[in-house]
Amino acid sequence: QVQLVESAGGLVQPGGSLRLSCEVSGRASSTLSMGWFRQAPGKEREFVAAIRRSDGHPYYGAAVKGRFTIGKQNERNELFLEMKNLKVDDTGVYYCAATGANYALGYLSQKDGYSYWGQGTQVTVSS
């Protein structure tokens, strides 16, 4: 059984940076396609970024492209999300997700593309 645990989020000022990590247990992260989603109060869970297991190719949601970087540190069995130039609209609960399937990147932007989810971590961007 795959378990995912996100690192603590935090409070960041607009324009600031934050790095999230997701610790994987129960399976090697190199065998998983993984992603990040976020959910703001009163809104649907939104795709942030994904990375496919077969080629490590990243895929980003339009709202974060150019500011966020997703990657895997397979030697540590971890997924990370580097967030820069944070905006108030980036506020929300961030969730790590994983699947053993090697889906197309388009499907990895869908919640249904994932079998495993972390508990979520709060990121607040505010002055």
Side-chain angles (χ1 to χ4, degrees):
Q1 180 74 3
V2 175
Q3 292 187 320
L4 307 174
V5 178
E6 297 96 343
S7 59
L11 172 63
V12 185
Q13 290 189 339
S17 300
L18 188 66
R19 187 179 193 273
L20 299 179
S21 62
C22 173
E23 182 179 336
V24 181
S25 61
R27 185 164 171 172
S29 60
S30 59
T31 68
L32 298 167
S33 294
M34 301 189 72
W36 290 96
F37 288 73
R38 66 187 182 188
Q39 189 165 16
K43 293 188 176 181
E44 293 287 321
R45 194 167 295 190
E46 174 190 25
F47 170 70
V48 174
I51 187 165
R52 196 164 54 184
R53 77 173 195 196
S54 59
D55 54 14
H57 189 87
Y59 183 47
Y60 297 96
V64 307
K65 195 170 185 178
R67 299 187 297 120
F68 289 14
T69 301
I70 187 173
K72 285 200 283 182
Q73 290 184 291
N74 290 329
E75 68 279 7
R76 297 180 63 173
N77 230 34
E78 279 188 358
L79 175 75
F80 67 84
L81 183 69
E82 291 275 6
M83 303 184 289
K84 297 182 179 180
N85 190 21
L86 282 159
K87 305 176 181 181
V88 172
D89 287 347
D90 293 320
T91 295
V93 178
Y94 282 69
Y95 296 90
C96 172
T99 175
N102 194 43
Y103 293 131
L105 289 172
Y107 194 55
L108 290 176
S109 69
Q110 309 294 317
K111 297 188 295 289
D112 290 345
Y114 297 89
S115 302
Y116 309 104
W117 291 85
Q119 80 286 357
T121 188
Q122 177 69 44
V123 173
T124 303
V125 184
S126 174
S127 55

